[in-house]
Amino acid sequence: MQLRLYDTLTREKRLFVPLDPSNVRMYVCGPTVYDFAHIGNARPVIVFDVLFRLLRHVYGESHVKYVRNVTDVDDKINDRAARDYPGLPLNEAIRKVTEQTERQFHEDVDGLGALRPTVEPRATEHIAEMRTLIEKLVASGFAYVAEDHVLFSPQAMNAANGVLPRYGALANRSLDEMIAGARVDVAPYKRDNTDFVLWKPSKPGEPSWPSPSGIAVPGRPGWHIECSAMAWKHLGEQFDIHGGGIDLVFPHHENELAQSCCAFHEARMATTWMHNGFLQVEGEKMSKSLGNFVTIRELLADWPGEVLRLNMLKTHYRSPIDWTLKGLEESAKTLDDWYAVAADAASDQPAETIVEALSDDLNTAQTIAALHGLRSAAVSNEQMRGTFAASLRFLGFLGQSAAEWKGRKQQASGVDAAWVEGLIAARAAARVRKDFKESDRIRDELAAKGVVLKDGKDADGKPVTTWELA
Ligand code: AMP
Ligand code: ZN
């Protein structure tokens, strides 16, 4: 099986060859933990979960390491902590906010059927690695100290000869354009307007750590250096896949790449850079001011996580996705049908067609088409039913039994199965005594609650009535 992945840096779909097939390494930028994650944040979680599952299938479960960080130093976290816990020292308040938000994030993404990454490092636990990287960069002339800040110089990077990539290559921009386009009100301590912060002094009361490079006042890291440090600590100087949403390409990933390549004097940080497209809601950019901002938590109150998961995977990960109620309703219907057909079939291997479709740059639309094909074959073939169920489980579906799935819907609708069964028995009795008025009345009573009856015959030719929710 050949795996091909689209690489943002070279802008082409390339054969994926891991640096070490016994240790395939992937880093994905995780959440900044200050509030409930929104459904856009769920997209990289689901997309890279599918890739993680595929890599585990191809290279073996114990040969894939997936690192997704937690950003727990950020102004938004500080603001939230000061607002929610005004009586507490800021550092304690920050810990409360980050721990609570991280717990919520885990509950939400567990609800989406995402496997936990191998490691979920927190930025605040990697300050020592950040300091080491910063000192390497200063020592080799790619960064400098100015007014208690440490700044990285993209111009120094592009002036260096040798293996280093060009700053701007990932985002496909030239440094000259960036210089020309930069804002005029540049901080006075910057030598060039494209220089970015590796370390800065903390304001009084803010979280702070001893600074690198002989700076006397305590400070805190810039955002980009956090990921370079955590990736280095857990995956090494070079690794296979670096992922995140498309909004991270510039400046975040461009800067991570610059820092890591310059610190280690190497041509690449990751072999493959992958970015998911943006999610919008009902045709509009999601934003609090437009009132269409929706959290994973809110959606999970109304829909099973697997419906959200399927709805996300219907669109190829690099395309923009329009999140709509109509799409969710269709996804729910599809899953009702898949649960009914797969009906707890014992399973072993997912279908080759599924693995093949995913191996073509995670072609999930093709994968779902293949699932529909398997579903048709499964209706009349017991072995195919097993393959169908295994394929669904491989993709993170069928996390519950068919009875639980159906029961959940009944619960949500307030329909009690025992009550339905009781009325079906009463209706059968009425039909035996030819009281069709009563049997019709019972059918109507159930229909009013959304219960649809289907009359048929069992294997011995005896009449049976089954039911489902409309
Ligand atoms: P943040 O917490 O904003 O840094 O985002 C966490 C992850 O979610 C990053 O990989 C972002 O690129 C991604 N992300 C944020 N908003 C969206 C969106 N609307 N659609 C898709 N991905 C998003
Ligand atoms: Zn990052």
Side-chain angles (χ1 to χ4, degrees):
M1 177 61 55
Q2 293 209 323
L3 172 55
R4 300 175 74 80
L5 296 173
Y6 182 87
D7 171 36
T8 309
L9 180 61
T10 50
R11 286 174 282 283
E12 59 184 11
K13 222 193 269 186
R14 289 157 65 223
L15 184 65
F16 176 72
V17 183
L19 295 165
D20 173 3
S22 70
N23 181 23
V24 180
R25 288 159 286 168
M26 170 161 82
Y27 186 94
V28 175
C29 294
T32 305
V33 282
Y34 68 98
D35 206 349
F36 282 108
H38 59 67
I39 189 63
N41 301 135
R43 195 168 192 197
V45 170
I46 293 173
V47 163
F48 291 102
D49 177 64
V50 169
L51 179 56
F52 184 37
R53 288 167 185 265
L54 177 65
L55 293 170
R56 282 156 54 108
H57 180 78
V58 175
Y59 296 98
E61 282 191 13
S62 58
H63 299 302
V64 183
K65 189 168 184 187
Y66 172 18
V67 178
R68 185 181 62 210
N69 74 292
V70 174
T71 298
D72 60 351
V73 229
D74 188 273
D75 285 339
K76 289 189 284 268
I77 299 173
N78 302 347
D79 295 348
R80 173 91 199 261
R83 199 183 70 217
D84 287 7
Y85 302 97
L88 284 185
L90 187 61
N91 280 325
E92 255 176 70
I94 286 172
R95 213 186 49 239
K96 277 193 186 289
V97 168
T98 56
E99 280 176 3
Q100 180 193 345
T101 311
E102 197 179 333
R103 195 166 352 101
Q104 288 162 350
F105 179 75
H106 277 143
E107 287 164 6
D108 289 347
V109 300
D110 287 353
L112 298 171
L115 301 174
R116 291 284 177 98
T118 323
V119 191
E120 293 182 89
R122 297 178 126 227
T124 51
E125 287 161 11
H126 296 75
I127 302 287
E129 287 81 4
M130 296 177 209
R131 270 202 302 260
T132 304
L133 282 184
I134 291 171
E135 291 191 332
K136 274 174 180 285
L137 290 169
V138 171
S140 48
F142 296 109
Y144 60 95
V145 177
E147 294 185 25
D148 298 331
H149 292 69
V150 185
L151 294 139
F152 183 95
S153 165
Q155 311 239 42
M157 176 178 177
N158 281 6
N161 294 316
V163 297
L164 293 180
R166 175 179 68 78
Y167 184 86
L170 184 68
N172 201 14
R173 303 183 190 191
S174 86
L175 193 51
D176 288 343
E177 272 165 29
M178 290 186 231
I179 293 166
R183 294 184 320 184
V184 271
D185 57 338
V186 176
Y189 46 79
K190 289 190 180 180
R191 284 182 196 162
D192 293 301
N193 56 14
T194 46
D195 297 350
F196 63 86
V197 167
L198 300 177
W199 189 268
K200 60 189 167 191
S202 300
K203 298 197 188 83
E206 276 181 358
S208 65
W209 294 268
S211 295
S213 306
I215 298 171
V217 298
R220 59 188 183 120
W223 174 33
H224 318 304
I225 197 71
E226 296 174 12
C227 284
S228 283
M230 288 184 271
W232 173 41
K233 168 81 183 283
H234 296 281
L235 299 177
E237 295 181 5
Q238 288 188 17
F239 51 95
D240 299 298
I241 297 168
H242 196 317
I246 188 86
D247 58 318
L248 298 186
V249 172
F250 192 86
H252 186 52
H253 287 171
E254 189 77 57
N255 291 354
E256 275 189 44
L257 186 159
Q259 296 160 163
S260 295
C261 289
C262 290
F264 305 121
H265 301 284
E266 63 197 6
R268 50 175 49 99
M269 178 185 190
T271 312
T272 310
W273 290 84
M274 293 178 70
H275 295 96
N276 64 267
F278 243 48
L279 174 147
Q280 53 174 18
V281 172
E282 306 284 354
E284 285 192 283
K285 184 179 175 342
M286 184 167 51
S287 83
K288 286 199 167 136
S289 58
L290 284 174
N292 64 353
F293 185 93
V294 49
T295 62
I296 303 173
R297 185 64 57 112
E298 288 164 332
L299 283 164
L300 283 173
D302 293 339
W303 305 90
E306 291 185 20
V307 169
L308 308 184
R309 187 177 177 87
L310 176 60
N311 204 50
M312 199 68 89
L313 294 176
K314 285 196 296 198
T315 305
H316 186 255
Y317 77 93
R318 281 194 281 124
S319 303
I321 180 169
D322 190 19
W323 190 263
T324 63
L325 179 62
K326 186 161 167 280
L328 283 167
E329 285 167 352
E330 282 165 8
S331 301
K333 243 190 222 156
T334 301
L335 272 165
D336 284 345
D337 174 61
W338 286 354
Y339 261 97
V341 172
D344 310 328
S347 51
D348 46 6
Q349 285 292 312
E352 235 0 77
T353 48
I354 300 294
V355 179
E356 259 168 40
L358 288 178
S359 299
D360 177 21
D361 192 33
L362 300 186
N363 190 337
T364 52
Q366 170 76 35
T367 305
I368 290 167
L371 282 173
H372 285 301
L374 289 171
R375 180 251 178 244
S376 302
V379 173
S380 56
N381 180 319
E382 192 54 27
Q383 199 190 334
M384 285 308 288
R385 213 159 63 79
T387 306
F388 177 51
S391 303
L392 287 171
R393 289 198 185 99
F394 171 58
L395 289 160
F397 299 110
L398 295 196
Q400 36 194 293
S401 71
E404 280 168 336
W405 182 264
K406 204 173 166 196
R408 164 203 57 78
K409 230 178 136 187
Q410 289 157 16
Q411 246 175 15
S413 66
V415 169
D416 175 37
W419 172 76
V420 177
E421 300 293 345
L423 283 179
I424 287 177
R427 176 169 168 271
R431 281 157 69 105
V432 167
R433 60 174 196 270
K434 302 219 169 357
D435 183 353
F436 295 114
K437 210 172 142 206
E438 173 64 0
S439 85
D440 285 351
R441 190 199 63 74
I442 293 173
R443 175 188 283 272
D444 292 346
E445 182 180 348
L446 287 165
K449 288 277 183 198
V451 177
V452 179
L453 300 183
K454 248 194 250 161
D455 292 319
K457 293 212 159 62
D458 71 7
D460 302 328
K462 279 197 298 205
V464 281
T465 300
T466 55
W467 63 281
E468 60 183 29
L469 288 166

